[in-house]
Amino acid sequence: MEQAIRGGRVAVDGQTVTTLGVRVDPETQDVRLDGKRVEPNRQPGTVIALHKPPRVLTTTHDPHGRPTVLHLLPAALRRERLYPVGRLDFASEGLVLLTNDGDLAFQLMHPRFGHEREYVVTVRGPEPPDLARRITEGVDIGDRRPARALRATRTSNGWRLVLAEGRKRQVRRMFEAVGMRVTRLQRVRIGSVILGDLAPGAARTLDAAEIATLRLQT
């Protein structure tokens, strides 16, 4: 917010704020950022970090009765009308965020906000010598535009990729485009939230500071 104020993007009651530390009453004063009214968040949403195992669907319901990420949550959390933010395909594993905060979910999923997603990938097949360059410059996966990673780092048995978008099966399709096959894919980070040592099938509730950090990244 200090950067926004310095940039002349904040107004209170129609006047551009030029001084840091100005006190306002959001209940009675009109506070705007880039011309859009800022409303007090009276009911903070819940955000859950879950370690999805393979062969679990990232959805709230499956008509075929297969297990979903909601089945992994305690009954008390399932009653909070949580839904997954984005997808992680059936065979993949790792970090999934669930929330009942629609605004935050939109910000996390929309590519223009640039929330990073980090993956650890095990692959098979002949590896092109210029693979890191190709993946970061962009490869054709059959969509209207190439898919690219922000960073691609070689590991002992595969790759660590950082992406700023989450198209359907994007990581798998990127490696398929260069003639390789993904044998294991684990998402280890979304924005500032890391998987860490959270056990497969386990979940934890993000605290207020973690949620605030996610919001600041938008």
Side-chain angles (χ1 to χ4, degrees):
M1 285 308 300
E2 290 180 353
Q3 292 178 348
I5 290 171
R6 291 191 182 99
R9 299 168 54 202
V10 179
V12 176
D13 293 336
Q15 299 295 317
T16 300
V17 178
T18 58
T19 305
L20 300 181
V22 172
R23 293 182 179 274
V24 299
D25 182 352
E27 298 292 344
T28 61
Q29 292 182 280
D30 181 68
V31 182
R32 295 180 180 264
L33 174 64
D34 295 331
K36 182 179 180 180
R37 184 177 174 84
V38 179
E39 300 287 351
N41 188 2
R42 296 178 179 84
Q43 294 182 329
T46 299
V47 183
I48 303 296
L50 171 74
H51 187 162
K52 185 189 96 64
R55 303 187 64 79
V56 173
L57 291 171
T58 312
T59 186
T60 58
H61 174 71
D62 178 54
H64 303 291
R66 292 173 295 180
T68 74
V69 288
L70 289 189
H71 289 124
L72 301 174
L73 299 179
L77 285 177
R78 291 201 297 271
R79 289 194 291 269
E80 295 203 24
R81 298 181 181 275
L82 299 165
Y83 52 91
V85 179
R87 297 292 182 98
L88 191 59
D89 69 59
F90 188 60
S92 298
E93 58 193 284
L95 181 62
V96 172
L97 297 182
L98 299 99
T99 187
N100 51 17
D101 186 327
D103 288 339
L104 180 59
F106 171 77
Q107 293 168 354
L108 288 171
M109 288 189 290
H110 200 290
R112 73 181 173 91
F113 292 101
H115 278 275
E116 292 185 352
R117 297 161 175 82
E118 187 167 355
Y119 301 86
V120 174
V121 189
T122 304
V123 292
R124 284 183 181 173
E127 182 178 301
D130 58 346
L131 181 56
R133 179 189 61 79
R134 291 176 64 179
I135 286 179
T136 53
E137 289 185 356
V139 294
D140 182 3
I141 61 171
D143 290 348
R144 289 179 296 176
R145 54 190 174 82
R148 58 179 294 270
L150 297 179
R151 296 184 293 280
T153 307
R154 193 73 172 84
T155 65
S156 58
N157 63 345
W159 288 83
R160 183 177 287 262
L161 301 187
V162 177
L163 278 63
E165 58 180 357
R167 291 187 242 172
K168 184 177 181 180
R169 298 183 69 254
Q170 179 172 342
V171 174
R172 294 181 185 276
R173 292 162 68 197
M174 288 172 69
F175 279 101
E176 288 168 4
V178 296
M180 304 186 75
R181 183 170 67 89
V182 172
T183 58
R184 186 186 182 196
L185 190 153
Q186 182 182 56
R187 185 160 60 198
V188 296
R189 179 171 64 88
I190 300 174
S192 56
V193 181
I194 62 171
L195 180 65
D197 57 2
L198 193 65
R204 68 177 184 87
T205 303
L206 270 60
D207 60 33
E210 290 178 295
I211 296 173
T213 301
L214 273 178
R215 292 188 187 280
L216 285 174
Q217 293 176 334
T218 62

